[in-house]
C-alpha cells in the first residue's frame, strides 16, 4: 500500500487544511440526525408538494421523502427558465467525426417537451417502461428527460450491447417502446443499432413502437410500427405539462451485472435519487457558474445517468458530451476536447488515463489544458502511478483529483473528496472520505469492524437517499444480494481498507464481478453465454490484471464430447460472445480444457482459475475434487500462453 504522498505537503502547490474539520463536523452532524440533514439537501430541489415524512425505513426498503411530489425534468430544465441559465449552453456535443452541436437550456427544454408529447402520442403513460438504445448523442438525454416528464420509467441500454442483451433487458422490464438510431459511430465505423433492434424484436413481444433517430445516415428498413424520430417530432406540441410524481416513483431502471447469470434491473426513485446526485455533485465538483464539465462516461452506464444527465443539468452548468472513442482519430481526443471547449472539470476513468499514459507526456503537453481546475476519476481503482501522472501531466500539479467510489446501486457518489466543502490532503489512490450523511465501514467475514490498516469488506451502515429502491420485479433478490451477507448492512461487494488517518482505500471486487475497462461484467453472465453455444459443455470465466483495462477476461472452456479444441472453435466462440453480449464482453484469452477444477460440493474454484490466469500461486487445493484438474488448467494456460487471441 502506498504511503501518503509527500508531494502535496511539500510542494505547497495545493492548498490543504491540516485536518478535515469542516467535513468532519458536517459528517458528524449529518449522522446525528440523518433525516434532518437529507431533508435540508432535498429542499434544494423544486417540489410540487413537500414530503410528509423524510424517511420511511422498513429495512431494507427505504422510502425517501414519502408523500412528496416532484418531476425530474422540471428540476433539470424548467427550474432554469426564469434565470440567465435559460440561454446558457446546457449540452455542448462533440461527434466523433468532428461535428459539434450546442443546445441551450431552453432548446433542450423544448426538445424534451416535444419528445414527451411524441411518447404520449404512442400511448406511453406514467409507469410505462421505455427502452433507450441510442449512441452518445443529445437525443439520448432528451429521450430520458422526456420519459421523466411524463412519469415513464427509462431503461437505457449501453449501445455496445448486442441483441441477446437487449432481449433480456427489454423482456425483464416489459418495455412498450424502444428508442434507437439507425447507427452509432465508433472508431470511425458505423455500429448498426437498428439492425440489432431488428434482431431482438421477434423475441420482445411487449414492444409496440420503435422510434429511430437518424444519426449515421445508413440504409435501414422501417417496419410497420417503426417511425423516424424527426418525422414523429414534426408537429409535436411545444409544451408538455410535467407529471408530478411521488418521490418514490421509479425514475429509471438500469441493468447491471452481478454474480448471477442474468443482469439485475437496478431501480431508482425520483426524490431521493435527485437529492443524492445534486448534493454530491455540488460537494465533489463544487460547480461554479462558468464551469464546463466534461464527464467522459457513456450514458449507458450509471455515471452517465447521474453525472452527464441529471446532476449537471440540475446544477445549470455547461457540459460537454462526447460521442466516440477516446483514441479516435488519434490518442489525444479528450485533450483536444478539453482545449476546444475550455473544460474546467474532467471526470474520467483510470482505464482512459492508462491508455493515454502509454502514449507519453508529449501528446497532452501539446494541448492547452490550462482551463482545467479539477480532475476526477470513477469506476475502478486508480493505481498511484496513474494518479501521479494525471496530477502532473494533466493537472500540472495544481488541480486536485477527486477519486470517487460508488455503484449503479448507490445512485451517486458515496466516497470521495468534497472540494465544495473542504480540501483535504490527497493520497494517490485513496478515495479519501465518505460523503456527509454516508456511514461507511470495513468489516471482516463476521461483520465486525477490522482494525485500521486491515483489508476487509466495505459496508454502508445507514440508508442514503440515492440507494436503489429495489431490483425491478425482484425484492427477494434485492434483499439477498445486498442485505443478507451482513444483516442490516448494505454490502457492495468491494474490498476496502481504512488507513491510520481514516482515509478509505478501495481494493477491488470481493466477488465474481469484473471491471474490464471500467465496464461492469459478471463472470456468470459470460459463462451462461458460453454454454449457450451448441459445442460447449462447461465454462468458467475469470480475469487477470491488465495494464490498461485494469482487468482482462480469461475463459476456460470445456467443449462437448467429440468437439475438437480448434482455433476455429475459438473464433466461433468469440464471435458468439460478440453477437450475444457485445464487444466489451469478448475475452482476451480462451483456453480449452477437459474439466474444470471443482470443490467436493461441485463449485468451480474460481480463486484457482484466477491465480492460474494471473500467473500467481494457487495456494490450498485440498478441497479440490480432482487435483488433476488444476494442473490441467495450468497446462492448458501454459500451452496456449503464446497464442493469445487478441480480440
Ligand atoms: C468499482 C460505477 C475503486 C467498485 C460508478 C464498484 C471503484 C463498482 C471506484 C461499481 C473507485 C467504482 N475506486 N473501485 N473510485 N468506483 N468502483 O455499478 O468495484 O458500474 O463496486 O458503477 O465499480 O460499478 P458500477
Amino acid at each position: 500500500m502506498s504511503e501518503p504522498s509527500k508531494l502535496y505537503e511539500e510542494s505547497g502547490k495545493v492548498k490543504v487544511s491540516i485536518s478535515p474539520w469542516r467535513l468532519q463536523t458536517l459528517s458528524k452532524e449529518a449522522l446525528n440526525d440523518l433525516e434532518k440533514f437529507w431533508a435540508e439537501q432535498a429542499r434544494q430541489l423544486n417540489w410540487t408538494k413537500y414530503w410528509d415524512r423524510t424517511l420511511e425505513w422498513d429495512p431494507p426498503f427505504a422510502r425517501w421523502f414519502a408523500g412528496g411530489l416532484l418531476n425530474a425534468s422540471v428540476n433539470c430544465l424548467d427550474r432554469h427558465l426564469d434565470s440567465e441559465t435559460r440561454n446558457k449552453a446546457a449540452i455542448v456535443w462533440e461527434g466523433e467525426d468532428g461535428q459539434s452541436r450546442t443546445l441551450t437550456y431552453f432548446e433542450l427544454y423544448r426538445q424534451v417537451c416535444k419528445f414527451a408529447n411524441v411518447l404520449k402520442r404512442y400511448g406511453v403513460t406514467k409507469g410505462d417502461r421505455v427502452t433507450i438504445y441510442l449512441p452518445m448523442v443529445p437525443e439520448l438525454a432528451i429521450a430520458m428527460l422526456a420519459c421523466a416528464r411524463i412519469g415513464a420509467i427509462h431503461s437505457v441500454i449501453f449501445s455496445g450491447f448486442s441483441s441477446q442483451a437487449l432481449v433480456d433487458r427489454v423482456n425483464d422490464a416489459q418495455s412498450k417502446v424502444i428508442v434507437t438510431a439507425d447507427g452509432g459511430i465508433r472508431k470511425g465505423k458505423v455500429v448498426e443499432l437498428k439492425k440489432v433492434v431488428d434482431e431482438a424484436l421477434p423475441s420482445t413481444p411487449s414492444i409496440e413502437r420503435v422510434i429511430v433517430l437518424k444519426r449515421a445516415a445508413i440504409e435501414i428498413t422501417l417496419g410497420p410500427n417503426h417511425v423516424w424520430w424527426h418525422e414523429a417530432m414534426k408537429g409535436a406540441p411545444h409544451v408538455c405539462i410535467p407529471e408530478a410524481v411521488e418521490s418514490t416513483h421509479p425514475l429509471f431502471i438500469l441493468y447491471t451485472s452481478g454474480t448471477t447469470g442474468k443482469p439485475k434491473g437496478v431501480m431508482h426513485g425520483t426524490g431521493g435519487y435527485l437529492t443524492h446526485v445534486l448534493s454530491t455533485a455540488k460537494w465533489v465538483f463544487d460547480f461554479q457558474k462558468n464551469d464546463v464539465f466534461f464527464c467522459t462516461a457513456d450514458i449507458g452506464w450509471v455515471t452517465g445517468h447521474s453525472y452527464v444527465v441529471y446532476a449537471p443539468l440540475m446544477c445549470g452548468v455547461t457540459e460537454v458530451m462526447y460521442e466516440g472513442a477516446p483514441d479516435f482519430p488519434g490518442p489525444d481526443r479528450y485533450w483536444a476536447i478539453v482545449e476546444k471547449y475550455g473544460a474546467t472539470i474532467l471526470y474520467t476513468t483510470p482505464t482512459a488515463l492508462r491508455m493515454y499514459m502509454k502514449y507519453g507526456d508529449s501528446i497532452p503537453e501539446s494541448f492547452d489544458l490550462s482551463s482545467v481546475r479539477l480532475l476526477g476519476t470513477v469506476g475502478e481503482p486508480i493505481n498511484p502511478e496513474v494518479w501521479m501522472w494525471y496530477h502532473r501531466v494533466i493537472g500540472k500539479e495544481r488541480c486536485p483529483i477527486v477519486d470517487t467510489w460508488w455503484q449503479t446501486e448507490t445512485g451517486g457518489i458515496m466516497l470521495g473528496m468534497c472540494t465544495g466543502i473542504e480540501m483535504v490532503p490527497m493520497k494517490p489512490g485513496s478515495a479519501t472520505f465518505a460523503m456527509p450523511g454516508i456511514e461507511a465501514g470495513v468489516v471482516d467475514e463476521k461483520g465486525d469492524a477490522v482494525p485500521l490498516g486491515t483489508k476487509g469488506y466495505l459496508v454502508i451502515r445507514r440508508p442514503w437517499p440515492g440507494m436503489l429502491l429495489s431490483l425491478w420485479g425482484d425484492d427477494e433478490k434485492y434483499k439477498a444480494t445486498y442485505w443478507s451477507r451482513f444483516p442490516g448492512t448494505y454490502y457492495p461487494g468491494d474490498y476496502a481498507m481504512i488507513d491510520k488517518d481514516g482515509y478509505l482505500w478501495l481494493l477491488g471486487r470481493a466477488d465474481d464481478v469484473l471491471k474490464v475497462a471500467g465496464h461492469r461484467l459478471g463472470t456468470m453472465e459470460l459463462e451462461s453465454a458460453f454454454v449457450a453455444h451448441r459445442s460447449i459443455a462447461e465454462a468458467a470465466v475469470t480475469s487477470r490484471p491488465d495494464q490498461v483495462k485494469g482487468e482482462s477476461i480469461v475463459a476456460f472452456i470445456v467443449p462437448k464430447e467429440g468437439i475438437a479444441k480448434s482455433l476455429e472453435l475459438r473464433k466461433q466462440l468469440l464471435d458468439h460472445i460478440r453477437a450475444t453480449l457485445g464487444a466489451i464482453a469478448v475475452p482476451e484469452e480462451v483456453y480449452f480444457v477437459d474439466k474444470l477444477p471443482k470443490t467436493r460440493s461441485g463449485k468451480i474454484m474460481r480463486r484457482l482459475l484466477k491465480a492460474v490466469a494471473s500467473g500467481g500461486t494457487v495456494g490450498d487445493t485440498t478441497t479440490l475434487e480432482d487435483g488433476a484438474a488444476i494442473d490441467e488448467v495450468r497446462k492448458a494456460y501454459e500451452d496456449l500462453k503464446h497464442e493469445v487471441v487478441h480480440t
Side-chain angles (χ1 to χ4, degrees), residues 101-423:
R101 267 167 80 189
T102 300
L103 280 115
T104 65
Y105 274 87
F106 179 74
E107 286 167 336
L108 189 60
Y109 160 80
R110 266 278 193 266
Q111 296 291 315
V112 167
C113 285
K114 289 187 74 162
F115 196 65
N117 285 322
V118 168
L119 292 175
K120 273 175 142 176
R121 188 199 306 151
Y122 294 132
V124 178
T125 56
K126 184 182 169 193
D128 284 344
R129 276 79 60 209
V130 173
T131 290
I132 304 176
Y133 183 62
L134 282 171
M136 275 291 282
V137 289
E139 283 74 11
L140 176 44
I142 292 168
M144 290 162 75
L145 292 165
C147 288
R149 194 149 190 100
I150 60 173
I153 303 166
H154 59 73
S155 167
V156 177
I157 298 177
F158 174 58
S159 61
F161 280 128
S162 300
S163 61
Q164 190 55 46
L166 194 60
V167 168
D168 291 345
R169 288 157 174 80
V170 168
N171 288 343
D172 188 71
Q174 288 291 295
S175 298
K176 215 170 182 175
V177 171
I178 295 188
V179 185
T180 188
D182 51 355
I185 294 172
R186 184 91 190 168
K187 295 214 177 194
K189 295 199 188 97
V190 173
V191 183
E192 296 180 57
L193 298 179
K194 176 63 167 49
K195 203 169 140 201
V196 178
V197 171
D198 287 341
E199 279 162 24
L201 281 174
S203 315
T204 55
S206 62
I207 296 295
E208 295 171 9
R209 180 75 52 179
V210 181
I211 304 174
V212 189
L213 179 79
K214 197 172 249 176
R215 162 66 190 117
I218 51 168
E219 284 281 320
I220 59 156
T221 35
L222 290 185
N225 292 324
H226 303 186
V227 42
W228 283 112
W229 170 296
H230 59 273
E231 298 286 346
M233 288 286 262
K234 263 186 215 156
H238 289 99
V239 174
C240 177
I241 306 293
E243 176 91 32
V245 300
E246 303 77 33
S247 173
T248 51
H249 179 70
L251 176 62
F252 64 86
I253 305 170
L254 182 55
Y255 286 87
T256 190
S257 297
T259 51
T260 53
K262 288 261 174 246
K264 304 172 289 189
V266 170
M267 180 173 50
H268 280 289
T270 306
Y273 169 80
L274 294 179
T275 300
H276 190 113
V277 296
L278 175 69
S279 312
T280 51
K282 287 188 171 176
W283 295 332
V284 173
F285 302 117
D286 191 21
F287 282 138
Q288 305 292 323
K289 253 202 204 141
N290 291 334
D291 270 328
V292 175
F293 182 56
F294 180 21
C295 170
T296 65
D298 192 293
I299 295 175
W301 307 101
V302 75
T303 307
H305 278 59
S306 301
Y307 300 101
V308 175
V309 180
Y310 289 106
L313 297 178
M314 278 193 287
C315 292
V317 297
T318 296
E319 63 169 319
V320 177
M321 181 193 284
Y322 170 54
E323 176 184 42
D327 54 352
F328 194 87
D332 58 3
R333 196 62 192 267
Y334 287 176
W335 320 130
I337 292 173
V338 167
E339 179 184 88
K340 180 169 173 187
Y341 299 109
T344 57
I345 307 174
L346 174 66
Y347 190 34
T348 192
T349 60
T351 289
L353 297 173
R354 287 189 291 257
M355 187 273 290
Y356 284 126
M357 197 174 151
K358 210 175 64 181
Y359 288 101
D361 302 359
S362 63
I363 296 178
E365 277 166 358
S366 66
F367 289 90
D368 178 2
L369 305 179
S370 60
S371 58
V372 177
R373 69 166 181 84
L374 180 64
L375 300 169
T377 71
V378 59
E380 37 174 340
I382 180 161
N383 354 21
E385 320 79 80
V386 180
W387 194 101
M388 294 303 297
W389 183 83
Y390 200 22
H391 182 67
R392 184 173 53 81
V393 180
I394 309 305
K396 314 291 182 211
E397 298 190 7
R398 61 177 177 77
C399 301
I401 297 181
V402 288
D403 173 7
T404 60
W405 177 92
W406 57 293
Q407 305 181 294
T408 306
E409 293 85 343
T410 69
I413 299 171
M414 301 292 275
L415 314 175
M417 185 163 62
C418 294
T419 65
I421 298 173
E422 177 177 38
M423 281 288 302

